[in-house]
Amino acid sequence: LFLVFQWLVKHVLSRREELAAKTRRFAEMKFESSKHQLVEEVEEKERRTKTAPLLEKVMDRYKPKRQFRRRDALSQLPQAMQAQCVLLEYGHALPASASGKTDKGSAEDDQDATAVHGDMLAVEGDLDFLSGKRIGALVGMQGDMIGSLSAGYSEHAQLYGQNVDPETASRRGKEQAHKRLMASMERQLQVATAKCKARAAAYETLVEQVHATQAALEEQQQRTQRVVRELAKLKAAETPENAKELEALEQLVLINDRLKEQQEAFRAHCKRQRHELASAVEHFEESGGLPPDELERLHKVEALYTEESQKLARVRALLARKTQETHMLRRKIDDVATRGELVQYERRFVELYEQMATNLEVTRRYYTKYNTLTDAHKYLNKEISILNSISSKWAQISASESLKNSFLTQMETIRSGVQENLTRVKAKYDSDAKKREELAAGLAKVMERQRVYFRAVKEFQEECTKNEALAT
């Protein structure tokens, strides 16, 4: 019996865990599908509405201003030159050349930057924005160009200024032209190679992003299919008995998840607002500080941030308390046996009792049959022994009268013994029959009491149903 009870308890515990998992998944699905707003969310929206004009005003005041405009279209330039043009149009310094380039490449980049600056037109009203440092940088670019031109002129002077043979000068000129052409081709090859590498890296990045997106999509699809399957199982397992408990658990899970979402959203909003305000403060300090009115508003924003942080701590404490209460309720619900579990216990015990009664009845039949066959075997052996004795001594008995009288006396003794055995067996049969009748009468009484019990239970259930209907 211990093994049977052990199996029964394990089966019940596993069934309870399955029901708890289904209930949890159903509650999570319901919370995700519903949309509610708490008082904290409404207050947060109002605070955002109040602080939005101040932020918009600050952003409008310190937004970037265009100071130059290019004569030609940007689409005709390479991507790097387009970026330089845009930076220069909005008053930012041109980026320095990469460290891996050669001197010829740096000179070519300086010439391109100078050409870009030459194509720029200043926008009216922003001419004073150019600082002395930027003008010096532009003059330095022109100085590099002048230096390269003077070096070329001196080289030509060395070639053609002396009294040399015209053929030798022509050959040297062709060699120099060939070298310049080779240098130009090498620069173009380097630029093309750099562009190819950049595009290959961008292509690999895009491929990785595509693979990651596909993997995320497949994972999301699998998760959606699993949720749909679990939802179908949960709907199939839902019964009228546990409907109220599931609804209460669903509401608690909804509140818990909603508080978590509000916490994450509020935390992200606070971080974003803090970063924006910090960058704005740094920019203001670099530009000479804020006016008194805006400084006062900034202090108000900081005070508002401190207040919101305190509210976040209070909401987090409330969330922890609600979560603890939710877990306590879940444990209490799991400890209480449901009606389905009680019915399952009853069925298992009834099946066990019936199995034990059947085995006991079969065992009793085997024992009775064995005893009956043993008695019949014993009586048959006695009868055979008597017949064998009579058959072996019959010739001697028939020859003498005294032996006949003694044989008759022995036979009478045997008959009386058999008659006594028969009487004793009949008495035992009568007593067993009497006990059987008494047990049958007791069984009839018990069955009648069972019928009365079932009828009372049925009436009680009907009255409970009527009471619930009237209460609702």
Side-chain angles (χ1 to χ4, degrees):
L1 294 179
F2 175 73
L3 296 176
V4 176
F5 281 107
Q6 188 177 9
W7 172 82
L8 182 60
V9 171
K10 289 182 179 179
H11 186 70
V12 170
L13 292 177
S14 63
R15 181 63 178 170
R16 180 179 294 178
E17 291 177 358
E18 290 178 359
L19 290 176
K22 290 180 180 179
T23 305
R24 190 177 296 108
R25 288 192 294 269
F26 178 75
E28 292 176 357
M29 184 274 299
K30 282 289 187 181
F31 179 75
E32 291 177 356
S33 62
S34 61
K35 295 181 180 178
H36 300 282
Q37 287 187 353
L38 297 177
V39 180
E40 291 81 359
E41 293 180 351
V42 177
E43 293 178 355
E44 183 178 358
K45 288 183 179 179
E46 291 179 356
R47 288 193 297 270
R48 289 181 180 178
T49 305
K50 291 179 180 179
T51 57
L54 175 60
L55 294 177
E56 291 179 357
K57 185 176 180 180
V58 172
M59 293 175 67
D60 290 339
R61 181 174 181 178
Y62 295 98
K63 65 181 180 180
K65 297 180 181 180
R66 190 167 186 174
Q67 300 172 3
F68 295 93
R69 188 181 304 276
R70 184 175 171 79
R71 296 189 182 94
D72 300 331
L74 292 177
S75 59
Q76 299 176 359
L77 298 175
Q79 187 174 4
M81 297 300 295
Q82 291 181 11
Q84 292 180 2
C85 290
V86 172
L87 291 173
L88 189 57
E89 285 178 1
Y90 284 91
H92 294 277
L94 294 175
S97 301
S99 60
K101 292 185 179 180
T102 60
D103 296 337
K104 296 181 179 179
S106 300
E108 185 180 358
D109 292 339
D110 294 338
Q111 292 177 4
D112 294 338
T114 305
V116 169
H117 181 265
D119 292 337
M120 292 293 175
L121 290 175
V123 180
E124 295 181 0
D126 293 331
L127 294 176
D128 296 335
F129 182 78
L130 292 175
S131 61
K133 184 178 180 181
R134 185 169 291 109
I135 294 172
L138 296 176
V139 172
M141 293 178 186
Q142 297 293 335
D144 294 336
M145 185 181 296
I146 293 170
S148 63
L149 292 175
S150 62
Y153 177 76
S154 62
E155 184 178 354
H156 282 283
Q158 291 177 2
L159 289 176
Y160 301 106
Q162 299 175 0
N163 296 322
V164 296
D165 190 7
E167 294 181 358
T168 304
S170 176
R171 186 174 61 254
R172 290 180 180 178
K174 290 180 180 180
E175 290 177 359
Q176 293 295 328
H178 180 69
K179 289 181 180 180
R180 287 194 298 273
L181 181 61
M182 291 299 295
S184 176
M185 295 298 292
E186 287 178 359
R187 288 195 298 272
Q188 292 179 4
L189 180 60
Q190 291 177 359
V191 172
T193 304
K195 289 182 179 179
C196 183
K197 290 181 179 179
R199 291 179 181 178
Y203 175 75
E204 292 178 356
T205 304
L206 292 175
V207 170
E208 292 177 357
Q209 292 178 359
V210 168
H211 290 314
T213 306
Q214 290 179 354
L217 179 60
E218 292 177 358
E219 184 180 359
Q220 187 66 28
Q221 289 178 353
Q222 293 177 0
R223 189 180 301 170
T224 304
Q225 292 176 0
R226 186 169 63 253
V227 170
V228 171
R229 289 196 300 269
E230 296 298 333
L231 179 60
K233 292 180 181 179
L234 188 60
K235 287 184 179 179
E238 185 177 1
T239 58
E241 290 81 5
N242 57 5
K244 293 183 179 179
E245 297 177 356
L246 290 176
E247 185 177 357
L249 184 61
E250 178 184 352
Q251 294 297 329
L252 293 175
V253 173
L254 288 174
I255 294 173
N256 188 12
D257 293 341
R258 192 182 303 114
L259 291 175
K260 288 182 179 179
E261 290 181 358
Q262 291 177 1
Q263 179 184 359
E264 295 296 333
F266 184 72
R267 184 182 297 172
H269 173 69
C270 291
K271 288 182 179 179
R272 185 172 62 253
Q273 189 176 6
R274 182 178 181 180
H275 289 310
E276 291 177 357
L277 292 175
S279 62
V281 168
E282 292 178 358
H283 184 69
F284 295 158
E285 290 178 353
E286 291 177 358
S287 62
L290 287 173
D293 54 349
E294 293 188 0
L295 185 61
E296 184 179 358
R297 290 181 182 179
L298 183 60
H299 289 310
K300 289 182 180 179
V301 171
E302 291 179 353
L304 180 62
Y305 173 75
T306 305
E307 183 181 357
E308 294 297 334
S309 300
Q310 295 176 358
K311 288 184 179 180
L312 176 61
R314 290 196 296 271
V315 171
R316 188 177 296 172
L318 178 61
L319 175 62
R321 188 167 61 255
K322 292 293 183 182
T323 305
Q324 185 178 5
E325 293 177 358
T326 303
H327 289 302
M328 292 177 63
L329 290 175
R330 287 180 179 176
R331 286 196 292 271
K332 290 181 180 179
I333 291 172
D334 292 337
D335 292 338
V336 175
T338 60
R339 185 174 297 177
E341 293 177 351
L342 294 176
V343 171
Q344 190 175 7
Y345 289 155
E346 184 178 1
R347 289 177 180 175
R348 294 293 180 271
F349 280 117
V350 169
E351 290 176 359
L352 181 61
Y353 176 76
E354 291 178 353
Q355 185 178 2
M356 293 176 62
T358 304
N359 292 333
L360 179 61
E361 185 177 358
V362 171
T363 305
R364 285 179 178 176
R365 287 180 182 177
Y366 284 141
Y367 272 99
T368 303
K369 186 176 181 180
Y370 176 78
N371 293 331
T372 303
L373 293 176
T374 302
D375 292 340
H377 183 265
K378 182 176 69 173
Y379 291 141
L380 289 174
N381 287 332
K382 287 182 179 181
E383 185 177 356
I384 291 170
S385 64
I386 292 170
L387 292 175
N388 290 331
S389 177
I390 292 171
S391 176
S392 61
K393 295 180 181 181
W394 177 250
Q396 297 177 4
I397 292 172
S398 60
S400 175
E401 190 67 28
S402 61
L403 293 175
K404 287 182 180 181
N405 292 329
S406 63
F407 176 72
L408 291 174
T409 303
Q410 291 177 0
M411 291 300 294
E412 186 66 25
T413 303
I414 292 170
R415 188 187 67 80
S416 61
V418 171
Q419 190 67 31
E420 288 178 0
N421 288 332
L422 180 61
T423 304
R424 187 168 57 255
V425 170
K426 285 184 178 180
K428 185 177 180 182
Y429 174 76
D430 293 338
S431 63
D432 291 340
K434 186 176 180 181
K435 287 182 180 179
R436 181 177 177 278
E437 291 177 356
E438 290 177 357
L439 292 175
L443 179 62
K445 291 180 181 179
V446 172
M447 292 296 292
E448 183 63 26
R449 291 180 63 184
Q450 186 179 9
R451 284 193 292 271
V452 173
Y453 171 74
F454 286 155
R455 187 167 57 253
V457 170
K458 185 177 179 181
E459 292 177 357
F460 178 73
Q461 290 178 352
E462 291 178 355
E463 293 298 328
C464 289
T465 305
K466 291 179 181 179
N467 187 16
E468 291 178 358
L470 293 175
T472 55

